[in-house]
Amino acid sequence: MTETSEAPQPQAGPQPEGDARRVLKVALLGGGTVGSQVARILLDDAEALAARAGARLELVGIAVRNVDAPRDVELPHGLYTTDAEALVGSADLVIELMGGLEPARTHILAALRRGASVVTGNKALLAQDGATLFDEADAHGAELNFEAAVAGAIPIIRPIRESLSGDRITRVLGIVNGTTNFILDAMDTTGAQFADVLAEAQRLGYAEADPTADVEGLDAAAKAAILASLAFHTRVSLDDVRCEGITNVSAADIAAAQDAGLAIKLLAIAELVPLEPADGAEAAHDGAAGAPREGVSVRVHPTLLPRTHPLAAVRGAYNAVFIEAENAGSLMFYGAGAGGAPTASAIMGDVVTTARRLLAGSPGRTGTATRTLPLVGPEAVTTSYSIGLEVADEPGVLARVAAVFAEHGVSIETMRQRIDGAEPASEGAGARPQGRRAELRFVTHRASEAALAATVADIKNLDVVESVTSVLRAEGV
């Protein structure tokens, strides 16, 4: 068969138990792993969906690049089209699963501007230009929903937007990338090096042939921007997220963490931080006059967690998001963060919710940016560090290193020493022969990022320090 640029004719389906006189035309953009599962659910579960939504959800077409490409899910060939523009123009509700910035952005804007609602899982677009999409949706009375954009099947967007809308969220910690969690968990379990586990993850299909977006933290950063925007009602873009990946995490780091009762996870962290007047941030107070000024810090980096922390127990390619709120306290959402069927579940939840609101004639509020809190850099954040050093094994080294910590006002919580692969020893174990090397690992109390960074920079300049082998941030230690 050859490709066609004509939009397909609506497919006749089983008569639902709901109101058959009410029909919502649904256009699907993208027929990949997730898109094909969404189409399958729309066709196979038409009656149940109609009963839940209050109208028949009629799939009018699936826009793809090649209508004849092989696909894992067998669907009616007549649904496929290359004419996405015509498909968008015929629909009441558009499901965008193309990914990337363009042409997804163009198609979403076209749908919103004609009043059609949109369900998307496009984290990159939302993190890069979500403000434009939200504004267009609000201007034209359309819905824009994106539950699948952050954590696959895990319901996290709707709880933040709706269930916690009457509370004050202060912090969000998330494992939101399954590939990196699989890699770090496998390193923790087997003791293998990063490169070996990455190769295994690629062989098993957990990592792409080009894993850059995952292992460098870019995928998690896009999701962090979305979560922060929702949690703190302030627009946050991908460019506002400080990002560090896991490529420098070594087997030695994992082993040292285990010895200290810790686990290493790639975390997306978004939190409110207090700002001093000297920071000069131009921002409104959050609440009554005279209330402390606050800013929003958003970052992604490998993080040490106590093994008793709920996020430390998240294994394999699973995701989890941990929320701290003033009244609800601590909440954790856990589940499959990727995969065709799990992600399709989140998409379909949005589809049914959107359909109900469309039928009621009152789309829900799409934009959540009701404040303009300043976005702050690392200088406003306090955290703990784990610092690994390779030093000369000679008297006085520890005292010189400790003096640098003291100079910058950074307090040491714990210190571990290992001599040339020997068991950990304390400073009081006596002098070692000249020429040998020792590994020191420090965990600090909470301090400003600026003080910690200055401490590490000065330690590197000590003549007794051969190298700084690792610098990891820690939470809850």
Side-chain angles (χ1 to χ4, degrees):
M1 294 185 182
T2 58
E3 292 188 7
T4 176
S5 60
E6 296 181 0
Q9 296 299 312
Q11 300 292 303
Q15 197 72 0
E17 294 179 1
D19 189 344
R21 295 169 297 176
R22 310 185 79 175
V23 176
L24 290 177
K25 295 182 178 180
V26 179
L28 175 59
L29 308 183
T33 301
V34 178
S36 60
Q37 292 293 336
V38 168
R40 175 188 62 78
I41 295 171
L42 282 167
L43 296 175
D44 291 352
D45 298 342
E47 292 189 21
L49 292 171
R52 296 167 196 161
R56 184 158 58 91
L57 303 177
E58 183 180 16
L59 179 61
V60 295
I62 308 170
V64 293
R65 291 191 183 93
N66 181 358
V67 298
D68 294 317
R71 294 178 172 87
D72 294 335
V73 178
E74 186 174 344
L75 299 167
H77 190 273
L79 284 173
Y80 293 108
T81 179
T82 58
D83 192 348
E85 183 178 354
L87 200 58
V88 169
S90 69
D92 303 303
L93 193 158
V94 174
I95 305 172
E96 184 277 310
L97 298 173
M98 307 174 79
L101 301 182
E102 288 291 352
R105 181 181 184 275
T106 296
H107 293 317
I108 290 176
L109 288 174
L112 296 174
R113 286 168 179 164
R114 54 178 293 271
S117 289
V118 174
V119 171
T120 180
N122 195 329
K123 56 186 175 290
L125 179 57
L126 290 167
Q128 192 72 37
D129 198 23
T132 299
L133 304 184
F134 297 143
D135 287 346
E136 290 290 343
D138 286 339
H140 296 89
E143 287 260 338
L144 175 61
N145 288 313
F146 46 93
E147 184 66 70
V150 170
I154 302 173
I156 187 64
I157 301 300
R158 197 171 294 111
I160 292 177
R161 291 172 83 180
E162 299 178 12
S163 303
L164 294 172
S165 61
D167 207 335
R168 181 174 180 271
I169 296 173
T170 57
R171 202 160 188 241
V172 180
L173 306 174
I175 297 172
V176 292
N177 182 272
T179 298
T180 52
N181 200 60
F182 174 86
I183 291 171
L184 292 173
D185 183 49
M187 291 175 69
D188 184 85
T189 302
T190 67
Q193 292 286 358
F194 169 81
D196 296 329
V197 177
L198 173 59
E200 178 67 4
Q202 290 172 318
R203 187 186 70 80
L204 294 173
Y206 288 116
E208 301 287 344
D210 179 2
T212 302
D214 294 323
V215 299
E216 296 294 349
L218 302 177
D219 174 81
K223 297 170 180 177
I226 296 169
L227 287 172
S229 298
L230 295 173
F232 307 123
H233 311 285
T234 292
R235 285 177 175 167
V236 179
S237 74
L238 181 60
D239 293 337
D240 299 316
V241 182
R242 177 181 177 178
C243 183
E244 178 185 334
I246 66 169
T247 54
N248 291 325
V249 177
S250 67
D253 293 327
I254 297 288
Q258 290 175 335
D259 287 344
L262 305 172
I264 300 177
K265 297 292 185 181
L266 183 73
L267 291 189
I269 303 174
E271 62 182 338
L272 293 176
V273 296
L275 297 179
E276 298 296 331
D279 290 329
E282 297 290 336
H285 292 298
D286 180 29
R293 294 158 67 104
E294 292 177 317
V296 176
S297 168
V298 192
R299 58 198 189 274
V300 170
H301 50 69
T303 307
L304 288 161
L305 289 171
R307 289 191 176 259
T308 54
H309 194 287
L311 289 175
V314 178
R315 310 300 299 271
Y318 276 78
N319 284 191
V321 179
F322 190 83
I323 294 177
E324 297 173 7
E326 280 192 347
N327 298 302
S330 297
L331 306 169
M332 185 162 129
F333 301 80
Y334 168 86
T343 306
S345 171
I347 291 289
M348 291 308 303
D350 274 348
V351 168
V352 171
T353 298
T354 303
R356 288 172 177 167
R357 289 175 176 164
L358 288 176
L359 294 170
S362 55
R365 183 178 177 85
T366 294
T368 60
T370 57
R371 298 185 289 177
T372 307
L373 295 179
L375 300 167
V376 301
E379 68 280 353
V381 176
T382 61
T383 187
S384 299
Y385 268 23
S386 170
I387 304 170
L389 308 176
E390 192 172 80
V391 302
D393 180 27
E394 58 188 59
V397 169
L398 182 57
R400 292 184 63 184
V401 173
V404 176
F405 281 96
E407 179 183 347
H408 292 284
V410 176
S411 175
I412 298 171
E413 181 173 3
T414 63
M415 189 281 293
R416 296 174 68 83
Q417 177 176 316
R418 188 180 297 273
I419 308 299
D420 284 341
E423 290 301 313
S426 67
E427 170 124 344
R432 308 297 193 199
Q434 293 292 323
R436 296 182 65 185
R437 295 181 301 178
E439 178 187 323
L440 302 179
R441 286 189 178 264
F442 299 88
V443 175
T444 73
H445 289 286
R446 293 187 76 87
S448 72
E449 279 267 350
L452 288 162
T455 300
V456 173
D458 285 352
I459 286 174
K460 287 180 178 178
N461 292 327
L462 292 176
D463 56 7
V464 293
V465 175
E466 297 189 13
S467 65
V468 176
T469 57
S470 70
V471 177
L472 294 170
R473 292 163 185 82
E475 294 290 339
V477 298

